[in-house]
Amino acid sequence: MRKTCTGIIVGVVSVVFLSALAADQGSDQSNAARSPWKYYPEDARANKGDGGPAPRRDLTGTWAGESSGAGVERLVPPESPPPLTALGKQLFDRNRAEGGRGGITIAESNDPHVRYCDPFGFPRNMNDQIRSMTITSLSNRTFVLLKFMNIWREIWTDGRALPTNFGRGSDAHDPTYNGYSVGRWEDDYTFVVETTGMAPETWATESGYPHSVDARVTERFQRKSKNDLTLTMTMDDSKLYTRPVSLGAVHFRWIPSQTFFDFSCVPSSVQRYLKEMADPAAKK
Amino acid sequence: MKTKVMMMVILFAALGATDTTSSAHHGAAAFDMNAPVVLKNAVITEFLWINPHPLIKADYTDPKGNVEHWTMELGSTVSAQLIGWTRNTLQPGDKVTLYVWRAKTGATVGRFNKVDFPDGTTMRDTQRGGDDGGRADTGQRN
């Protein structure tokens, strides 16, 4: 009984204390000088609810992802283990992702981004380091602008077909980091993007899933309300996977201020970081 | 006010605040997270405001008079800014007490935990700034 009473008293005192702190913090925030050039994650966190119905065929704006500090959580991680073919397994085994296989360190990793700041490339740049993205459109293209590494993707919406020849010959298309993308509205709230021709030296995920140049990735951007946007990704790459593999789903929330901070991996900085910090920390 | 902010830091650390601004770019597998090493009266030699992680470099003189050259990393510039850090928070010559999760190898490198300034204030890391090695993103200079 005494324990119960004590528990109730502690609970009531805690609620009063937390309320006082919250009121005090709110007062501090409202009084603080604010800059339109700065991103305030607490604003994005405070933007509760769905904000009303989604506008028709419109993804325009700046969105906060899981690494934005806005409390946005990943919906579904990439499928694990991936359904690899023999060749896929051979390529996957070459990729030594940090944290993989019982704890590969940065010093032991051969992740081209971690070691050299190499571009993630697509699709990894849509499922790793999801900080924020801006979406905007012209009459014949939609652009996805990623804040991490200041990357922009170009998605053609003029009805053209994807290229298919990434092999030999003067008419072949050169693989690119972001590949070649086309998009269409499946319905008023779902924009579907197909991409192929991605540079095969890049990883499809942080954990080192490989992809071939002929891989085809399908993205479904579904705007469920003014404030909520979900992206699901599937990769079809029959050379390396026995069936289409899920690359997971990420959630985005509308940022009221439409402002976000800048963050890029800088090669000269990462070399210094590795030499003076990460490699000595792991040296056996 | 100072007390309230300090209590908030403790409270949020205890609740396991889950701000993910600097989400696991690099893990802490290489560091001994059991107890931080305390470098009393360390002298800052360089503060590198770089990505993916800012670096604090400092000289620490042990009780026998031996000088150790330390390097430690913070979460990231962007997440650190959100809790009050700037590229000028530490300056060469500053004498401070540093808490660091040391590399398991025993090298004088580690993951930064927090810094105590001579005026009695403290600043913490985002990802490993809690006294238990957990997040402290909600921490402010208190």
Side-chain angles (χ1 to χ4, degrees), chain A residues 18 21 24 28 41 45 66-67 69 98 106 114 129 131 261-264 269-270 272-273 276-277 281 283, chain B residues 1 8 11 19-21 23 25-27 31 46 48 50-53 57 71 73 78 82 103 105 109-110:
Chain A
L18 284 168
L21 288 182
D24 188 52
D28 283 355
R45 273 198 295 269
E66 63 184 14
S67 298
E98 186 198 351
I106 300 171
V114 167
Q129 293 288 314
R131 294 171 183 271
F261 52 61
D262 186 66
F263 189 24
S264 288
S269 294
V270 86
R272 188 156 186 195
Y273 165 74
E276 299 181 24
M277 177 67 226
K283 207 168 189 179
Chain B
M1 179 62 202
M8 286 183 69
L11 193 63
D19 184 307
T20 54
T21 311
S23 84
H25 196 87
H26 296 139
F31 309 117
E46 202 169 9
L48 296 162
I50 60 174
N51 288 323
H53 300 284
K57 299 173 82 75
T71 301
E73 63 176 292
V78 289
L82 296 176
T105 59
V109 297

Side-chain angles (χ1 to χ4, degrees), chain B residues 29-124:
Chain B
F31 309 117
D32 179 356
M33 299 300 293
N34 289 314
V37 172
V38 182
L39 308 177
K40 287 194 86 171
N41 297 319
V43 177
I44 302 297
T45 55
E46 202 169 9
F47 182 41
L48 296 162
W49 191 247
I50 60 174
N51 288 323
H53 300 284
L55 297 179
I56 299 170
K57 299 173 82 75
D59 284 350
Y60 167 67
T61 305
D62 72 14
K64 294 178 181 174
N66 302 312
V67 177
E68 297 176 349
H69 305 295
W70 278 81
T71 301
M72 58 203 79
E73 63 176 292
L74 279 75
S76 72
T77 54
V78 289
S79 60
Q81 282 179 73
L82 296 176
I83 60 168
W85 286 82
T86 73
R87 63 179 62 236
N88 298 312
T89 297
L90 293 170
Q91 304 270 357
D94 286 354
K95 189 177 276 192
V96 295
T97 297
L98 296 161
Y99 296 71
V100 52
W101 310 103
R102 189 173 193 164
K104 290 174 182 170
T105 59
T108 54
V109 297
R111 180 69 197 225
F112 171 72
N113 173 230
K114 64 179 180 178
V115 53
D116 289 341
F117 292 90
D119 64 1
T121 59
T122 297
M123 289 191 77
R124 295 173 181 268

Side-chain angles (χ1 to χ4, degrees), chain A:
Chain A
M1 181 63 187
R2 179 178 288 177
K3 277 184 180 174
T4 306
C5 287
T6 306
I8 292 169
I9 292 167
V10 168
V12 169
V13 169
S14 299
V15 168
V16 171
F17 178 66
L18 284 168
S19 301
L21 288 182
D24 188 52
Q25 189 185 35
S27 162
D28 283 355
Q29 283 179 359
S30 59
N31 294 336
R34 297 169 68 84
S35 168
W37 300 99
K38 282 194 172 186
Y39 166 65
Y40 297 96
E42 61 268 26
D43 290 353
R45 273 198 295 269
N47 187 30
K48 305 285 187 193
D50 63 15
R56 185 176 167 273
R57 300 196 173 205
D58 185 4
L59 306 178
T60 304
T62 297
W63 299 86
E66 63 184 14
S67 298
S68 63
V72 183
E73 295 191 4
R74 178 178 289 256
L75 298 177
V76 183
E79 180 179 347
S80 179
L84 295 161
T85 63
L87 176 60
K89 184 175 186 317
Q90 187 182 336
L91 295 178
F92 182 48
D93 287 346
R94 289 181 191 169
N95 296 341
R96 300 175 58 78
E98 186 198 351
R101 296 176 215 170
I104 290 173
T105 64
I106 300 171
E108 296 162 332
S109 172
N110 61 0
D111 183 335
H113 176 78
V114 167
R115 299 297 305 183
Y116 306 107
C117 294
D118 279 6
F120 277 164
F122 180 80
R124 183 175 173 182
N125 56 21
M126 296 302 289
N127 65 49
D128 186 8
Q129 293 288 314
I130 305 298
R131 294 171 183 271
S132 93
M133 70 172 176
T134 295
I135 297 179
T136 187
S137 296
L138 293 176
S139 59
N140 58 356
R141 281 165 288 172
T142 289
F143 297 93
V144 175
L145 315 171
L146 300 170
K147 259 299 184 186
F148 183 66
M149 300 295 286
N150 290 316
I151 298 296
W152 58 278
R153 298 176 53 207
E154 189 174 48
I155 299 158
W156 289 90
T157 53
D158 57 359
R160 69 179 64 186
L162 284 173
T164 54
N165 180 6
F166 302 104
R168 291 184 172 188
S170 58
D171 60 342
H173 296 85
D174 201 29
T176 69
Y177 280 111
N178 286 328
Y180 299 80
S181 301
V182 295
R184 61 183 169 80
W185 286 96
E186 184 176 82
D187 57 41
D188 284 349
Y189 306 102
T190 308
F191 186 62
V192 178
V193 179
E194 302 275 348
T195 302
T196 190
M198 295 86 75
E201 64 270 24
T202 60
W203 295 8
T205 63
E206 181 181 22
S207 50
Y209 292 9
H211 66 81
S212 75
V213 70
D214 295 315
R216 181 174 289 216
V217 176
T218 302
E219 295 169 277
R220 298 170 66 83
F221 293 85
Q222 189 169 31
R223 188 167 189 179
K224 295 180 177 174
S225 70
K226 176 180 180 293
N227 285 338
D228 293 287
L229 178 61
T230 297
L231 166 63
T232 55
M233 277 179 289
T234 305
M235 182 166 68
D236 193 351
D237 190 353
S238 59
K239 287 181 183 168
L240 307 186
Y241 298 88
T242 57
R243 57 175 170 75
V245 57
S246 167
L247 299 179
V250 289
H251 187 207
F252 294 90
R253 290 279 294 173
W254 179 260
I255 300 176
S257 67
Q258 294 288 284
T259 302
F260 203 75
F261 52 61
D262 186 66
F263 189 24
S264 288
C265 186
V266 178
S268 61
S269 294
V270 86
Q271 291 312 305
R272 188 156 186 195
Y273 165 74
L274 293 170
K275 181 181 175 186
E276 299 181 24
M277 177 67 226
D279 289 347
K283 207 168 189 179
K284 293 181 172 124

